[in-house]
Structures are given as structure tokens and as C-alpha cells.
PDB file of all heavy atoms in Angstrom:
ATOM      1  N   GLY W 183       0.797  -1.210   0.000  1.00 91.00           N
ATOM      2  CA  GLY W 183       0.000   0.000   0.000  1.00 91.00           C
ATOM      3  C   GLY W 183       0.834   1.266   0.000  1.00 91.00           C
ATOM      4  O   GLY W 183       0.310   2.355  -0.255  1.00 91.00           O
ATOM      5  N   ARG W 184       2.128   1.120   0.305  1.00 94.00           N
ATOM      6  CA  ARG W 184       3.013   2.283   0.295  1.00 94.00           C
ATOM      7  C   ARG W 184       4.089   2.177  -0.778  1.00 94.00           C
ATOM      8  O   ARG W 184       4.331   3.122  -1.520  1.00 94.00           O
ATOM      9  CB  ARG W 184       3.698   2.446   1.659  1.00 94.00           C
ATOM     10  CG  ARG W 184       2.767   2.839   2.783  1.00 94.00           C
ATOM     11  CD  ARG W 184       3.559   3.066   4.066  1.00 94.00           C
ATOM     12  NE  ARG W 184       2.695   3.458   5.172  1.00 94.00           N
ATOM     13  CZ  ARG W 184       3.126   3.708   6.408  1.00 94.00           C
ATOM     14  NH1 ARG W 184       4.418   3.600   6.677  1.00 94.00           N
ATOM     15  NH2 ARG W 184       2.275   4.057   7.364  1.00 94.00           N
ATOM     16  N   ILE W 185       4.738   1.026  -0.853  1.00 95.00           N
ATOM     17  CA  ILE W 185       5.888   0.895  -1.746  1.00 95.00           C
ATOM     18  C   ILE W 185       5.481   1.048  -3.208  1.00 95.00           C
ATOM     19  O   ILE W 185       6.261   1.546  -4.025  1.00 95.00           O
ATOM     20  CB  ILE W 185       6.602  -0.462  -1.499  1.00 95.00           C
ATOM     21  CG1 ILE W 185       7.912  -0.536  -2.287  1.00 95.00           C
ATOM     22  CG2 ILE W 185       5.685  -1.624  -1.841  1.00 95.00           C
ATOM     23  CD1 ILE W 185       8.916   0.526  -1.925  1.00 95.00           C
ATOM     24  N   GLU W 186       4.242   0.648  -3.550  1.00 95.00           N
ATOM     25  CA  GLU W 186       3.814   0.770  -4.946  1.00 95.00           C
ATOM     26  C   GLU W 186       3.798   2.239  -5.376  1.00 95.00           C
ATOM     27  O   GLU W 186       4.321   2.600  -6.441  1.00 95.00           O
ATOM     28  CB  GLU W 186       2.412   0.172  -5.133  1.00 95.00           C
ATOM     29  CG  GLU W 186       2.282  -1.260  -4.664  1.00 95.00           C
ATOM     30  CD  GLU W 186       1.878  -1.360  -3.207  1.00 95.00           C
ATOM     31  OE1 GLU W 186       1.946  -0.315  -2.499  1.00 95.00           O
ATOM     32  OE2 GLU W 186       1.497  -2.448  -2.768  1.00 95.00           O
ATOM     33  N   GLY W 187       3.218   3.091  -4.541  1.00 95.00           N
ATOM     34  CA  GLY W 187       3.147   4.509  -4.878  1.00 95.00           C
ATOM     35  C   GLY W 187       4.517   5.164  -4.876  1.00 95.00           C
ATOM     36  O   GLY W 187       4.811   6.030  -5.718  1.00 95.00           O
ATOM     37  N   ILE W 188       5.366   4.744  -3.926  1.00 96.00           N
ATOM     38  CA  ILE W 188       6.712   5.325  -3.860  1.00 96.00           C
ATOM     39  C   ILE W 188       7.498   4.996  -5.118  1.00 96.00           C
ATOM     40  O   ILE W 188       8.171   5.864  -5.697  1.00 96.00           O
ATOM     41  CB  ILE W 188       7.444   4.815  -2.603  1.00 96.00           C
ATOM     42  CG1 ILE W 188       6.790   5.383  -1.343  1.00 96.00           C
ATOM     43  CG2 ILE W 188       8.930   5.162  -2.652  1.00 96.00           C
ATOM     44  CD1 ILE W 188       7.344   4.822  -0.057  1.00 96.00           C
ATOM     45  N   LEU W 189       7.416   3.736  -5.571  1.00 96.00           N
ATOM     46  CA  LEU W 189       8.137   3.338  -6.779  1.00 96.00           C
ATOM     47  C   LEU W 189       7.639   4.110  -7.996  1.00 96.00           C
ATOM     48  O   LEU W 189       8.445   4.623  -8.789  1.00 96.00           O
ATOM     49  CB  LEU W 189       7.983   1.829  -6.999  1.00 96.00           C
ATOM     50  CG  LEU W 189       8.627   1.266  -8.265  1.00 96.00           C
ATOM     51  CD1 LEU W 189      10.129   1.491  -8.251  1.00 96.00           C
ATOM     52  CD2 LEU W 189       8.301  -0.215  -8.430  1.00 96.00           C
ATOM     53  N   GLN W 190       6.329   4.208  -8.147  1.00 95.00           N
ATOM     54  CA  GLN W 190       5.775   4.917  -9.302  1.00 95.00           C
ATOM     55  C   GLN W 190       6.134   6.403  -9.272  1.00 95.00           C
ATOM     56  O   GLN W 190       6.501   6.980 -10.307  1.00 95.00           O
ATOM     57  CB  GLN W 190       4.259   4.727  -9.345  1.00 95.00           C
ATOM     58  CG  GLN W 190       3.840   3.295  -9.657  1.00 95.00           C
ATOM     59  CD  GLN W 190       2.331   3.106  -9.620  1.00 95.00           C
ATOM     60  OE1 GLN W 190       1.597   4.036  -9.333  1.00 95.00           O
ATOM     61  NE2 GLN W 190       1.879   1.898  -9.912  1.00 95.00           N
ATOM     62  N   ARG W 191       6.059   7.018  -8.101  1.00 95.00           N
ATOM     63  CA  ARG W 191       6.404   8.432  -8.010  1.00 95.00           C
ATOM     64  C   ARG W 191       7.895   8.667  -8.242  1.00 95.00           C
ATOM     65  O   ARG W 191       8.298   9.707  -8.787  1.00 95.00           O
ATOM     66  CB  ARG W 191       5.982   8.995  -6.653  1.00 95.00           C
ATOM     67  CG  ARG W 191       4.469   9.145  -6.510  1.00 95.00           C
ATOM     68  CD  ARG W 191       4.105   9.905  -5.250  1.00 95.00           C
ATOM     69  NE  ARG W 191       4.385   9.157  -4.027  1.00 95.00           N
ATOM     70  CZ  ARG W 191       3.556   8.287  -3.454  1.00 95.00           C
ATOM     71  NH1 ARG W 191       2.384   8.019  -4.023  1.00 95.00           N
ATOM     72  NH2 ARG W 191       3.882   7.668  -2.337  1.00 95.00           N
ATOM     73  N   ALA W 192       8.726   7.705  -7.828  1.00 96.00           N
ATOM     74  CA  ALA W 192      10.171   7.833  -8.062  1.00 96.00           C
ATOM     75  C   ALA W 192      10.483   7.805  -9.548  1.00 96.00           C
ATOM     76  O   ALA W 192      11.328   8.582 -10.027  1.00 96.00           O
ATOM     77  CB  ALA W 192      10.915   6.711  -7.339  1.00 96.00           C
ATOM     78  N   ILE W 193       9.802   6.931 -10.293  1.00 96.00           N
ATOM     79  CA  ILE W 193      10.026   6.847 -11.745  1.00 96.00           C
ATOM     80  C   ILE W 193       9.488   8.097 -12.431  1.00 96.00           C
ATOM     81  O   ILE W 193      10.140   8.684 -13.310  1.00 96.00           O
ATOM     82  CB  ILE W 193       9.369   5.584 -12.321  1.00 96.00           C
ATOM     83  CG1 ILE W 193       9.933   4.327 -11.634  1.00 96.00           C
ATOM     84  CG2 ILE W 193       9.578   5.507 -13.824  1.00 96.00           C
ATOM     85  CD1 ILE W 193      11.412   4.138 -11.811  1.00 96.00           C
ATOM     86  N   GLU W 194       8.307   8.526 -12.034  1.00 95.00           N
ATOM     87  CA  GLU W 194       7.718   9.718 -12.651  1.00 95.00           C
ATOM     88  C   GLU W 194       8.565  10.962 -12.379  1.00 95.00           C
ATOM     89  O   GLU W 194       8.672  11.850 -13.233  1.00 95.00           O
ATOM     90  CB  GLU W 194       6.304   9.934 -12.111  1.00 95.00           C
ATOM     91  CG  GLU W 194       5.309   8.870 -12.566  1.00 95.00           C
ATOM     92  CD  GLU W 194       3.979   8.975 -11.846  1.00 95.00           C
ATOM     93  OE1 GLU W 194       3.867   9.856 -10.956  1.00 95.00           O
ATOM     94  OE2 GLU W 194       3.067   8.189 -12.148  1.00 95.00           O
ATOM     95  N   ALA W 195       9.201  11.029 -11.208  1.00 94.00           N
ATOM     96  CA  ALA W 195       9.965  12.220 -10.837  1.00 94.00           C
ATOM     97  C   ALA W 195      11.191  12.417 -11.713  1.00 94.00           C
ATOM     98  O   ALA W 195      11.645  13.555 -11.897  1.00 94.00           O
ATOM     99  CB  ALA W 195      10.383  12.142  -9.371  1.00 94.00           C
ATOM    100  N   ILE W 196      11.744  11.306 -12.253  1.00 94.00           N
ATOM    101  CA  ILE W 196      12.947  11.455 -13.076  1.00 94.00           C
ATOM    102  C   ILE W 196      12.633  11.347 -14.564  1.00 94.00           C
ATOM    103  O   ILE W 196      13.553  11.379 -15.390  1.00 94.00           O
ATOM    104  CB  ILE W 196      14.016  10.410 -12.703  1.00 94.00           C
ATOM    105  CG1 ILE W 196      13.531   8.982 -12.990  1.00 94.00           C
ATOM    106  CG2 ILE W 196      14.440  10.559 -11.251  1.00 94.00           C
ATOM    107  CD1 ILE W 196      14.623   7.950 -12.901  1.00 94.00           C
ATOM    108  N   GLU W 197      11.328  11.212 -14.921  1.00 93.00           N
ATOM    109  CA  GLU W 197      11.005  11.165 -16.348  1.00 93.00           C
ATOM    110  C   GLU W 197      11.399  12.477 -17.012  1.00 93.00           C
ATOM    111  O   GLU W 197      11.894  12.500 -18.143  1.00 93.00           O
ATOM    112  CB  GLU W 197       9.511  10.910 -16.535  1.00 93.00           C
ATOM    113  CG  GLU W 197       9.113  10.830 -18.005  1.00 93.00           C
ATOM    114  CD  GLU W 197       7.619  10.638 -18.195  1.00 93.00           C
ATOM    115  OE1 GLU W 197       6.861  10.770 -17.199  1.00 93.00           O
ATOM    116  OE2 GLU W 197       7.202  10.360 -19.337  1.00 93.00           O
ATOM    117  N   TRP W 198      11.158  13.565 -16.312  1.00 92.00           N
ATOM    118  CA  TRP W 198      11.547  14.880 -16.816  1.00 92.00           C
ATOM    119  C   TRP W 198      12.502  15.522 -15.824  1.00 92.00           C
ATOM    120  O   TRP W 198      12.304  15.463 -14.615  1.00 92.00           O
ATOM    121  CB  TRP W 198      10.324  15.772 -17.025  1.00 92.00           C
ATOM    122  CG  TRP W 198       9.406  15.263 -18.080  1.00 92.00           C
ATOM    123  CD1 TRP W 198       8.216  14.633 -17.889  1.00 92.00           C
ATOM    124  CD2 TRP W 198       9.616  15.307 -19.488  1.00 92.00           C
ATOM    125  NE1 TRP W 198       7.652  14.282 -19.092  1.00 92.00           N
ATOM    126  CE2 TRP W 198       8.495  14.694 -20.103  1.00 92.00           C
ATOM    127  CE3 TRP W 198      10.631  15.815 -20.304  1.00 92.00           C
ATOM    128  CZ2 TRP W 198       8.363  14.565 -21.479  1.00 92.00           C
ATOM    129  CZ3 TRP W 198      10.498  15.684 -21.678  1.00 92.00           C
ATOM    130  CH2 TRP W 198       9.379  15.073 -22.248  1.00 92.00           C
ATOM    131  N   CYS W 199      13.536  16.123 -16.354  1.00 92.00           N
ATOM    132  CA  CYS W 199      14.542  16.803 -15.545  1.00 92.00           C
ATOM    133  C   CYS W 199      14.486  18.287 -15.869  1.00 92.00           C
ATOM    134  O   CYS W 199      14.228  18.669 -17.019  1.00 92.00           O
ATOM    135  CB  CYS W 199      15.931  16.231 -15.850  1.00 92.00           C
ATOM    136  SG  CYS W 199      17.303  17.139 -15.104  1.00 92.00           S
ATOM    137  N   SER W 200      14.745  19.146 -14.889  1.00 90.00           N
ATOM    138  CA  SER W 200      14.719  20.578 -15.134  1.00 90.00           C
ATOM    139  C   SER W 200      15.806  21.020 -16.109  1.00 90.00           C
ATOM    140  O   SER W 200      15.754  22.130 -16.636  1.00 90.00           O
ATOM    141  CB  SER W 200      14.878  21.338 -13.812  1.00 90.00           C
ATOM    142  OG  SER W 200      16.097  20.994 -13.180  1.00 90.00           O
ATOM    143  N   SER W 201      16.767  20.139 -16.348  1.00 89.00           N
ATOM    144  CA  SER W 201      17.832  20.457 -17.312  1.00 89.00           C
ATOM    145  C   SER W 201      17.572  19.850 -18.687  1.00 89.00           C
ATOM    146  O   SER W 201      18.445  19.945 -19.558  1.00 89.00           O
ATOM    147  CB  SER W 201      19.177  19.961 -16.780  1.00 89.00           C
ATOM    148  OG  SER W 201      19.522  20.585 -15.569  1.00 89.00           O
ATOM    149  N   ASP W 202      16.424  19.204 -18.875  1.00 88.00           N
ATOM    150  CA  ASP W 202      16.094  18.673 -20.204  1.00 88.00           C
ATOM    151  C   ASP W 202      15.832  19.827 -21.167  1.00 88.00           C
ATOM    152  O   ASP W 202      15.362  20.904 -20.750  1.00 88.00           O
ATOM    153  CB  ASP W 202      14.852  17.778 -20.115  1.00 88.00           C
ATOM    154  CG  ASP W 202      15.182  16.383 -19.615  1.00 88.00           C
ATOM    155  OD1 ASP W 202      16.363  15.996 -19.695  1.00 88.00           O
ATOM    156  OD2 ASP W 202      14.270  15.692 -19.134  1.00 88.00           O
ATOM    157  N   PRO W 203      16.103  19.661 -22.463  1.00 89.00           N
ATOM    158  CA  PRO W 203      16.548  18.431 -23.133  1.00 89.00           C
ATOM    159  C   PRO W 203      18.053  18.204 -23.093  1.00 89.00           C
ATOM    160  O   PRO W 203      18.548  17.214 -23.633  1.00 89.00           O
ATOM    161  CB  PRO W 203      16.099  18.667 -24.577  1.00 89.00           C
ATOM    162  CG  PRO W 203      16.219  20.143 -24.754  1.00 89.00           C
ATOM    163  CD  PRO W 203      15.842  20.747 -23.436  1.00 89.00           C
ATOM    164  N   ILE W 204      18.795  19.100 -22.433  1.00 90.00           N
ATOM    165  CA  ILE W 204      20.248  18.938 -22.402  1.00 90.00           C
ATOM    166  C   ILE W 204      20.636  17.679 -21.639  1.00 90.00           C
ATOM    167  O   ILE W 204      21.539  16.940 -22.043  1.00 90.00           O
ATOM    168  CB  ILE W 204      20.896  20.182 -21.757  1.00 90.00           C
ATOM    169  CG1 ILE W 204      20.577  21.422 -22.584  1.00 90.00           C
ATOM    170  CG2 ILE W 204      22.397  20.007 -21.644  1.00 90.00           C
ATOM    171  CD1 ILE W 204      21.096  22.703 -21.959  1.00 90.00           C
ATOM    172  N   CYS W 205      19.950  17.403 -20.530  1.00 90.00           N
ATOM    173  CA  CYS W 205      20.314  16.247 -19.705  1.00 90.00           C
ATOM    174  C   CYS W 205      20.007  14.935 -20.414  1.00 90.00           C
ATOM    175  O   CYS W 205      20.863  14.056 -20.499  1.00 90.00           O
ATOM    176  CB  CYS W 205      19.584  16.319 -18.363  1.00 90.00           C
ATOM    177  SG  CYS W 205      19.883  14.909 -17.277  1.00 90.00           S
ATOM    178  N   ILE W 206      18.800  14.763 -20.943  1.00 90.00           N
ATOM    179  CA  ILE W 206      18.414  13.490 -21.542  1.00 90.00           C
ATOM    180  C   ILE W 206      19.234  13.183 -22.789  1.00 90.00           C
ATOM    181  O   ILE W 206      19.420  12.022 -23.161  1.00 90.00           O
ATOM    182  CB  ILE W 206      16.901  13.481 -21.873  1.00 90.00           C
ATOM    183  CG1 ILE W 206      16.419  12.052 -22.148  1.00 90.00           C
ATOM    184  CG2 ILE W 206      16.597  14.409 -23.025  1.00 90.00           C
ATOM    185  CD1 ILE W 206      16.530  11.121 -20.978  1.00 90.00           C
ATOM    186  N   THR W 207      19.757  14.211 -23.450  1.00 87.00           N
ATOM    187  CA  THR W 207      20.599  13.989 -24.629  1.00 87.00           C
ATOM    188  C   THR W 207      22.062  13.833 -24.259  1.00 87.00           C
ATOM    189  O   THR W 207      22.937  13.846 -25.137  1.00 87.00           O
ATOM    190  CB  THR W 207      20.441  15.155 -25.622  1.00 87.00           C
ATOM    191  OG1 THR W 207      20.686  16.395 -24.950  1.00 87.00           O
ATOM    192  CG2 THR W 207      19.045  15.163 -26.222  1.00 87.00           C
ATOM    193  N   ASP W 208      22.337  13.699 -22.974  1.00 84.00           N
ATOM    194  CA  ASP W 208      23.679  13.387 -22.478  1.00 84.00           C
ATOM    195  C   ASP W 208      24.689  14.490 -22.784  1.00 84.00           C
ATOM    196  O   ASP W 208      25.832  14.223 -23.162  1.00 84.00           O
ATOM    197  CB  ASP W 208      24.167  12.058 -23.060  1.00 84.00           C
ATOM    198  CG  ASP W 208      25.316  11.456 -22.245  1.00 84.00           C
ATOM    199  OD1 ASP W 208      25.403  11.774 -21.050  1.00 84.00           O
ATOM    200  OD2 ASP W 208      26.123  10.691 -22.807  1.00 84.00           O
ATOM    201  N   MET W 209      24.270  15.733 -22.612  1.00 80.00           N
ATOM    202  CA  MET W 209      25.181  16.854 -22.849  1.00 80.00           C
ATOM    203  C   MET W 209      25.698  17.462 -21.549  1.00 80.00           C
ATOM    204  O   MET W 209      26.476  18.407 -21.570  1.00 80.00           O
ATOM    205  CB  MET W 209      24.480  17.941 -23.674  1.00 80.00           C
ATOM    206  CG  MET W 209      24.066  17.500 -25.058  1.00 80.00           C
ATOM    207  SD  MET W 209      23.160  18.768 -25.974  1.00 80.00           S
ATOM    208  CE  MET W 209      24.404  20.055 -26.130  1.00 80.00           C
ATOM    209  N   MET W 210      25.275  16.884 -20.394  1.00 72.00           N
ATOM    210  CA  MET W 210      25.688  17.440 -19.108  1.00 72.00           C
ATOM    211  C   MET W 210      26.540  16.484 -18.293  1.00 72.00           C
ATOM    212  O   MET W 210      27.171  16.889 -17.319  1.00 72.00           O
ATOM    213  CB  MET W 210      24.462  17.822 -18.271  1.00 72.00           C
ATOM    214  CG  MET W 210      23.626  18.924 -18.847  1.00 72.00           C
ATOM    215  SD  MET W 210      22.320  19.421 -17.721  1.00 72.00           S
ATOM    216  CE  MET W 210      23.246  20.080 -16.346  1.00 72.00           C
ATOM    217  N   GLY W 211      26.558  15.210 -18.655  1.00 64.00           N
ATOM    218  CA  GLY W 211      27.259  14.227 -17.855  1.00 64.00           C
ATOM    219  C   GLY W 211      28.763  14.378 -17.923  1.00 64.00           C
ATOM    220  O   GLY W 211      29.330  14.717 -18.960  1.00 64.00           O
ATOM    221  N   ALA W 212      29.441  14.151 -16.790  1.00 60.00           N
ATOM    222  CA  ALA W 212      30.902  14.174 -16.772  1.00 60.00           C
ATOM    223  C   ALA W 212      31.436  12.975 -17.546  1.00 60.00           C
ATOM    224  O   ALA W 212      30.920  11.858 -17.430  1.00 60.00           O
ATOM    225  CB  ALA W 212      31.407  14.134 -15.332  1.00 60.00           C
ATOM    226  N   VAL W 213      32.474  13.202 -18.334  1.00 60.00           N
ATOM    227  CA  VAL W 213      33.009  12.138 -19.185  1.00 60.00           C
ATOM    228  C   VAL W 213      33.515  10.968 -18.355  1.00 60.00           C
ATOM    229  O   VAL W 213      33.326   9.806 -18.708  1.00 60.00           O
ATOM    230  CB  VAL W 213      34.142  12.702 -20.074  1.00 60.00           C
ATOM    231  CG1 VAL W 213      34.789  11.592 -20.887  1.00 60.00           C
ATOM    232  CG2 VAL W 213      33.612  13.791 -20.985  1.00 60.00           C
ATOM    233  N   ASN W 214      34.154  11.259 -17.225  1.00 67.00           N
ATOM    234  CA  ASN W 214      34.745  10.190 -16.427  1.00 67.00           C
ATOM    235  C   ASN W 214      33.756   9.541 -15.475  1.00 67.00           C
ATOM    236  O   ASN W 214      34.154   8.780 -14.592  1.00 67.00           O
ATOM    237  CB  ASN W 214      35.942  10.718 -15.639  1.00 67.00           C
ATOM    238  CG  ASN W 214      35.580  11.848 -14.709  1.00 67.00           C
ATOM    239  OD1 ASN W 214      34.451  12.340 -14.727  1.00 67.00           O
ATOM    240  ND2 ASN W 214      36.529  12.273 -13.895  1.00 67.00           N
ATOM    241  N   SER W 215      32.470   9.830 -15.596  1.00 76.00           N
ATOM    242  CA  SER W 215      31.475   9.168 -14.751  1.00 76.00           C
ATOM    243  C   SER W 215      30.906   7.929 -15.414  1.00 76.00           C
ATOM    244  O   SER W 215      30.184   7.162 -14.780  1.00 76.00           O
ATOM    245  CB  SER W 215      30.322  10.126 -14.406  1.00 76.00           C
ATOM    246  OG  SER W 215      29.526  10.380 -15.543  1.00 76.00           O
ATOM    247  N   TYR W 216      31.202   7.737 -16.713  1.00 89.00           N
ATOM    248  CA  TYR W 216      30.735   6.559 -17.456  1.00 89.00           C
ATOM    249  C   TYR W 216      29.217   6.434 -17.347  1.00 89.00           C
ATOM    250  O   TYR W 216      28.676   5.349 -17.114  1.00 89.00           O
ATOM    251  CB  TYR W 216      31.412   5.280 -16.947  1.00 89.00           C
ATOM    252  CG  TYR W 216      32.852   5.476 -16.557  1.00 89.00           C
ATOM    253  CD1 TYR W 216      33.261   5.362 -15.229  1.00 89.00           C
ATOM    254  CD2 TYR W 216      33.812   5.802 -17.513  1.00 89.00           C
ATOM    255  CE1 TYR W 216      34.577   5.564 -14.863  1.00 89.00           C
ATOM    256  CE2 TYR W 216      35.145   6.008 -17.152  1.00 89.00           C
ATOM    257  CZ  TYR W 216      35.512   5.886 -15.828  1.00 89.00           C
ATOM    258  OH  TYR W 216      36.817   6.095 -15.469  1.00 89.00           O
ATOM    259  N   SER W 217      28.525   7.557 -17.498  1.00 92.00           N
ATOM    260  CA  SER W 217      27.075   7.593 -17.335  1.00 92.00           C
ATOM    261  C   SER W 217      26.423   8.218 -18.559  1.00 92.00           C
ATOM    262  O   SER W 217      27.085   8.804 -19.425  1.00 92.00           O
ATOM    263  CB  SER W 217      26.687   8.391 -16.086  1.00 92.00           C
ATOM    264  OG  SER W 217      27.204   7.799 -14.918  1.00 92.00           O
ATOM    265  N   HIS W 218      25.108   8.077 -18.630  1.00 91.00           N
ATOM    266  CA  HIS W 218      24.282   8.716 -19.649  1.00 91.00           C
ATOM    267  C   HIS W 218      23.164   9.471 -18.947  1.00 91.00           C
ATOM    268  O   HIS W 218      22.594   8.990 -17.961  1.00 91.00           O
ATOM    269  CB  HIS W 218      23.634   7.675 -20.579  1.00 91.00           C
ATOM    270  CG  HIS W 218      24.536   7.179 -21.662  1.00 91.00           C
ATOM    271  ND1 HIS W 218      25.193   7.994 -22.554  1.00 91.00           N
ATOM    272  CD2 HIS W 218      24.867   5.914 -22.026  1.00 91.00           C
ATOM    273  CE1 HIS W 218      25.893   7.270 -23.410  1.00 91.00           C
ATOM    274  NE2 HIS W 218      25.720   6.002 -23.094  1.00 91.00           N
ATOM    275  N   SER W 219      22.813  10.619 -19.436  1.00 91.00           N
ATOM    276  CA  SER W 219      21.560  11.307 -19.102  1.00 91.00           C
ATOM    277  C   SER W 219      21.305  11.419 -17.601  1.00 91.00           C
ATOM    278  O   SER W 219      20.243  11.043 -17.108  1.00 91.00           O
ATOM    279  CB  SER W 219      20.380  10.573 -19.763  1.00 91.00           C
ATOM    280  OG  SER W 219      20.589  10.467 -21.154  1.00 91.00           O
ATOM    281  N   VAL W 220      22.281  11.939 -16.870  1.00 92.00           N
ATOM    282  CA  VAL W 220      22.083  12.189 -15.440  1.00 92.00           C
ATOM    283  C   VAL W 220      22.723  13.514 -15.076  1.00 92.00           C
ATOM    284  O   VAL W 220      23.690  13.953 -15.701  1.00 92.00           O
ATOM    285  CB  VAL W 220      22.683  11.076 -14.552  1.00 92.00           C
ATOM    286  CG1 VAL W 220      21.923   9.791 -14.694  1.00 92.00           C
ATOM    287  CG2 VAL W 220      24.165  10.875 -14.856  1.00 92.00           C
TER     288      VAL W 220
END
């Protein structure tokens, strides 16, 4: 009754970032972090 809503809200919260579209297109990530779109 709690974890379901928390999981869904956690996914919805990162669907859009205040730095999009720069963030989702991987233009902000540090090169040495070996990451995408964060």
C-alpha cells in the first residue's frame, strides 16, 4: 500500500529533468562518470 506509490512516483519524478533536453541527450554528464543522461 506504500511501496507501490513510492516506486511509481520515483520513476515519474525522473522522467523529466529541469535540465532537459540537455540532460536526456547526455550533454551534461561528466566524461569520467561513465554515465548517460544524469
